[in-house]
Structure formats: structure tokens, C-alpha cells
Amino acid sequence: MPVILVHGGAGTLFKGRVSAEREAAARQGLSEALQAGYDLLQSGDSALAAVTAAVKVLEDCELFNAGRGSVYTHAGRQEMDACVMTGHDQQAGAIAGVQGVCHPIELAREVLLHSPHVLLAGSGAEDFARQQGCAFADADYFHSDYRWQQLLQIRDQDTTALDHGLGASEKSFGTVGAVACDQQGHLAAATSTGGMTNKRFGRVGDSPLIGAGTYANASCAVSATGHGEYFMRAVLAYDLAARLAYQQVSLQAAAADALARLGNLGGQGGLIVVNAQGEWSMPFNTGRMYRGVQFSEQPQVLIYGAGEPA
């Protein structure tokens, strides 16, 4: 059975701290992303095509910290990371620290399809993007007054901040991702992010790193969101897959145990995961995670606890 899941970041905000209008806008963005991917799955297209399409929708929505909505670095730039991976053949493509690329996830897919390498970074990745015909835009396209104010709050401090870590702002959204299982039982995962506000020195998070923030094999596909340094230390996405392979536990148990390990390290965030049987899970250890799933004509979108009505 085809199924697709998406996330738009996990954070500390609890119910009642986000306006109804902002919640509605977030739900709409997630719903549109789900529908874009699910329509492809229903037509018989691949899981790779579905997760790419879903993440592109979220990259176009400035509410989320990816693509057009990316946060600013200390130098006042937007440096974006992304990754895609397919499970049946474990092919992968990733990019880090790119500027001006409208859809970083599309560039990551181009790396998977047309490069002998897995991870390209910086100006070299941008050169490859031009060679592949990826769309670029100037700084005005990516500019957000809200994102700029986020930077100014902490620019003079020797610190970085997650999008949701700048106080109880109603405009806090984060890293985006998607996982899918297609009609052939093939899996794919995709993640895209602008990283952390005020990041310096070419910092790269977990999103473009295979096994940390993104992973897929024949049994599951994982995309994570949260404090990337902890996901990297835990190699969390691969850890979840390994639990399925070696402990022979359920998908729900493997996801919960992997997230518990992240929490034991001091990390916060969440993940989405699907297996080749179409089973899925969306655990998180924060106040909320923007997330959704679609396996029928009606998408299901959630922000807060598991008992929340869709």
C-alpha cells in the first residue's frame, strides 16, 4: 500500500502558544506536500519521486526552515543542506552549504542520479547545480524579515540556535523531510534544512549525512528533525534501521528506542519512518512536531500530541 509521511520540524512550543492562523498555514503546507507526493505514488511513480515532490512543496513555503524559509548564518547568508536516499539500492545524493538554489532537495536528487559522488558542498555543489539546470534565485527571493530578526537576536553572542529555540514565537518552524513506500514496496527518504541560526565556519548538520538525519534501506526509510549535533553523535537514522535488522523488534519499538537514546544523550527532536510493508511511526520528544501521513485520499496532519484530532 503506498504511503507517504512528512515533517516540518520539531520544537518546544506547546498547544496554545501558536496562533490559529499560523497553525492553519502550517497544516495547509503539510497537507499540500503530502498530496503532491501521494498523487505520484497513486500514479505508480517511485518513492524517490514522491519524497522529492513533497519536500519541494515545503521548501517553497517560507514558514519552514528549508529552501525559501531558510535561517541566516552569522555572516547573513542562507546556506542550505539536503539529502535523498533510496532503500532498494541504497543510492544517495546530498548537498551541504549551498546558496541560491531554489530547491536543495532537487539538487540532492541530481547528485544521486547523475554524480559518482554522494555528498557535494559549497560552490562545487552550486556549479554542479548549474550544470544540471537547477533553478537559482537571488537573495531577495530567500529573504524573510522574521528570519533576519532571529539572527539579530543572537548575532553578537557566541551561540547558535535551532529555529524553535529563539523563544515562544508563533512563527517557529523547522527542518523538513519526507519518507515514502511506493507500489513496488520500494522506500525513499528526503530531508532539507537551512540549519541553525547564526551558524559559523561552514557548520553542517545531520540532514545531509547518511545515517544521521537521513537513511533508507530495503526495510525502512527515516528522516529526522531536531538538534543535529545529537543526531550525528547517535547516528540516529541508521541506529533505528539497525534495531529493526538485529533486534527484530517492531517498527514502533525501534523508533521509540532510537528516540529514547537521543534523549539520553540530551538531544531533542523527532523522526518519521516507514517500512516496506507500509507501517509507519512519527515519534518526537518535544512539545510539538509538524508532521503528517497519507495512505488514502485524505491526508492526516498533526502538530501536537498523538491524541490530537487531525
Side-chain angles (χ1 to χ4, degrees):
M1 177 181 68
V3 58
I4 184 167
L5 293 84
V6 299
H7 69 73
T12 55
L13 293 184
F14 290 87
K15 196 168 181 64
R17 302 294 291 273
V18 180
S19 72
E21 292 78 15
R22 301 298 293 190
E23 281 194 12
R27 290 177 187 275
Q28 181 66 26
L30 294 169
S31 294
E32 291 176 359
L34 286 168
Q35 197 66 59
Y38 187 73
D39 286 347
L40 291 176
L41 294 175
Q42 282 291 82
S43 70
D45 217 327
S46 69
L48 174 62
V51 296
T52 303
V55 169
K56 284 177 66 176
V57 170
L58 298 174
E59 289 176 335
D60 282 338
C61 180
E62 64 181 17
L63 292 173
F64 300 102
N65 179 19
R68 192 173 189 179
S70 294
V71 299
Y72 284 96
T73 70
H74 180 77
R77 299 189 293 263
Q78 288 151 311
E79 297 176 355
M80 299 169 284
D81 309 332
C83 179
V84 293
M85 187 168 185
T86 50
H88 66 285
D89 55 5
Q90 293 199 274
Q91 295 296 302
I95 53 93
V98 303
Q99 300 178 58
V101 178
C102 294
H103 294 114
I105 201 65
E106 192 171 66
L107 175 54
R109 185 192 61 185
E110 292 300 310
V111 175
L112 183 153
L113 295 174
H114 302 298
S115 170
H117 310 301
V118 170
L119 174 61
L120 303 181
S123 60
E126 293 161 17
D127 289 343
F128 180 76
R130 294 184 182 94
Q131 182 185 94
Q132 298 303 311
C134 293
F136 278 74
D138 60 23
D140 289 343
Y141 171 83
F142 295 93
H143 177 73
S144 161
D145 288 337
Y146 172 69
R147 296 297 189 200
W148 185 251
Q149 291 303 315
Q150 279 187 318
L151 173 63
L152 295 182
Q153 287 181 44
I154 62 170
R155 196 174 194 178
D156 295 332
Q157 304 172 28
D158 187 22
T159 187
T160 57
L162 292 175
D163 184 21
H164 59 263
L166 293 174
S169 166
E170 67 173 35
K171 296 184 179 180
S172 299
F173 298 86
T175 294
V176 305
V179 296
C181 177
D182 63 28
Q183 292 184 17
Q184 287 72 46
H186 292 167
L187 303 168
T191 314
S192 181
T193 188
M196 301 181 80
T197 299
N198 203 38
K199 63 184 180 181
R200 308 190 198 191
F201 313 120
R203 181 263 184 187
V204 175
D206 64 306
S207 296
L209 301 185
I210 304 302
T214 310
Y215 189 71
N217 61 14
S219 62
C220 73
V222 185
S223 175
T225 178
H227 197 305
E229 274 64 19
Y230 291 93
F231 282 87
M232 287 187 276
R233 293 168 189 160
V235 199
L236 193 87
Y238 178 76
D239 181 60
L240 196 166
R243 290 173 187 274
L244 287 173
Y246 304 131
Q247 294 183 343
Q248 297 183 345
V249 296
S250 70
L251 183 77
Q252 300 286 339
D257 290 347
L259 193 64
R261 178 168 174 250
L262 180 79
N264 290 338
L265 292 176
Q268 289 188 316
L271 57 88
I272 54 176
V273 55
V274 66
N275 67 15
Q277 290 72 49
E279 299 170 328
W280 50 272
S281 183
M282 303 187 290
F284 57 102
N285 65 3
T286 54
R288 54 96 173 109
M289 183 169 81
Y290 297 93
R291 65 204 190 278
V293 59
Q294 188 164 359
F295 47 83
S296 64
E297 292 305 312
Q298 184 63 40
Q300 300 177 22
V301 172
L302 300 167
I303 298 178
Y304 303 101
E308 163 194 25

